[in-house]
Amino acid sequence: MPDATDADGLTVGQVSARLGVTVRALHHWDEIGLARPSLRTAAGYRLYTAGDLERLHRIVVYREIGLGLDKIQGILDHSTTDVPGALRAQRTQVAERIDRLQRLGVGLDRMIDAHERGLLLTVEEQAAIFGPQWDPDGPARARQRYGDTTQWRQYAERSASRGPEEWQAVADAMVGLDRALADAMDAGVAPGSAEAARLVGRHREVFASYFPLTRQMQVCLGRMYEADPGFAAHYDGIRSGLAAWLRRIIDADARAHGIDPDTATWQ
């Protein structure tokens, strides 16, 4: 390697600053023979010439479009390399990556909307799925009340991936559960029985469409079903006394699993 004075070329640090490439990358390219400085000072410092800079500019451009270092070296050092073909192939990969990023952007938009709105359904879709008695302002009130909880975040993540068909399946499962609970109460199913325990387990499973539900959390829900006027009206509108009966079978199942319903907390 020819010797030179500092004025004959640029140091690694100067090239790094000029091209926006790290010194570590320049050292690596030197080691693998991709871009070696042509000069060296008497003190042993490497210097890049104008020709070296031109090669480095091309390397930076090829890296920006996503080519690997091996591919770049082939383009720069082998005259038989089909450069247009390599660039077309890279163009195809870039287009595919853009498509993936666009789809990711759409997914992120849905996730943001779900965290802010809860349901990503129009008012008309909500009425068609959940019935004319459904209050479309309910999700907004729920966000105001629970928006900073783990359960709201879990609910939003599920909601972001659901369209009308998926929500229809959730609604159908809830209606089926309500019907099964009413039928069981009418049939005299006793709290603590095997059938009651099966229904309590089904309630947790169906409710997991919104967020994972522990037995302690389920006990808290049972209390709310009986005490909250809106929930009590829903269940007692299906069968008189259903809200209280549902709480009793939930409490009995909790006791069977070592949980005191009187001290259960939301955890």
Side-chain angles (χ1 to χ4, degrees):
M1 179 179 292
D3 291 337
T5 65
D6 290 351
D8 292 325
L10 297 176
T11 65
V12 172
Q14 290 170 326
V15 171
S16 171
R18 178 171 295 192
L19 298 182
V21 176
T22 66
V23 170
R24 182 176 180 181
L26 291 170
H27 285 165
H28 178 61
W29 297 351
D30 182 6
E31 291 170 0
I32 65 175
L34 177 60
R36 286 177 172 155
S38 299
L39 300 177
R40 191 176 292 271
T41 68
Y45 293 106
R46 291 167 291 190
L47 296 176
Y48 291 87
T49 65
D52 297 333
L53 280 178
E54 182 180 347
R55 182 180 177 93
L56 284 167
H57 275 293
R58 295 180 67 192
I59 292 170
V60 169
V61 169
Y62 287 141
R63 282 180 73 233
E64 284 292 321
I65 63 173
L67 290 176
L69 296 182
D70 290 343
K71 182 75 71 174
I72 293 172
Q73 189 148 22
I75 290 174
L76 296 179
D77 294 340
H78 303 294
S79 59
T80 58
T81 299
D82 179 9
V83 176
L87 295 178
R88 287 191 185 96
Q90 190 62 23
R91 178 67 181 84
T92 298
Q93 293 181 28
V94 168
E96 292 171 351
R97 187 157 64 246
I98 289 172
D99 181 63
R100 289 196 298 271
L101 289 172
Q102 288 175 334
R103 285 186 275 111
L104 177 61
V106 171
L108 287 171
D109 286 342
R110 285 186 63 82
M111 186 68 76
I112 292 168
D113 285 347
H115 276 275
E116 293 179 343
R117 294 167 46 202
L119 278 174
L120 303 185
L121 299 171
T122 66
V123 172
E124 293 76 18
E125 287 172 334
Q126 292 179 46
I129 293 170
F130 301 114
Q133 78 286 352
W134 173 260
D135 180 4
D137 294 327
R141 290 196 299 273
R143 182 181 184 275
Q144 290 177 349
R145 185 173 181 179
Y146 305 113
D148 59 348
T149 65
T150 297
Q151 286 71 42
W152 179 267
R153 291 191 290 272
Q154 293 168 331
Y155 164 64
E157 289 165 4
R158 286 160 171 75
S159 180
S161 64
R162 288 181 182 147
E165 291 184 0
E166 290 79 10
W167 276 117
Q168 185 65 65
V170 171
D172 291 344
M174 293 298 293
V175 169
L177 173 63
D178 287 349
R179 185 181 302 114
L181 291 169
D183 291 345
M185 189 187 77
D186 288 345
V189 171
S193 66
E195 177 60 16
R198 187 188 68 79
L199 286 168
V200 172
R202 181 176 171 184
H203 174 265
R204 281 196 310 277
E205 180 181 344
V206 171
F207 207 91
S209 299
Y210 299 98
F211 53 79
L213 190 69
T214 65
R215 282 192 168 85
Q216 293 221 42
M217 292 162 66
Q218 190 177 28
V219 168
C220 296
L221 280 182
R223 291 181 199 147
M224 185 171 66
Y225 291 157
E226 187 176 25
D228 182 271
F231 281 106
H234 167 75
Y235 285 107
D236 290 343
I238 298 170
R239 286 292 191 281
S240 178
L242 184 59
W245 180 83
L246 176 54
R247 178 182 179 180
R248 288 199 300 274
I249 67 169
I250 290 173
D251 286 356
D253 184 74
R255 290 190 191 93
H257 289 85
I259 298 169
D260 181 357
D262 295 330
T263 60
T265 57
W266 189 263
Q267 61 181 21

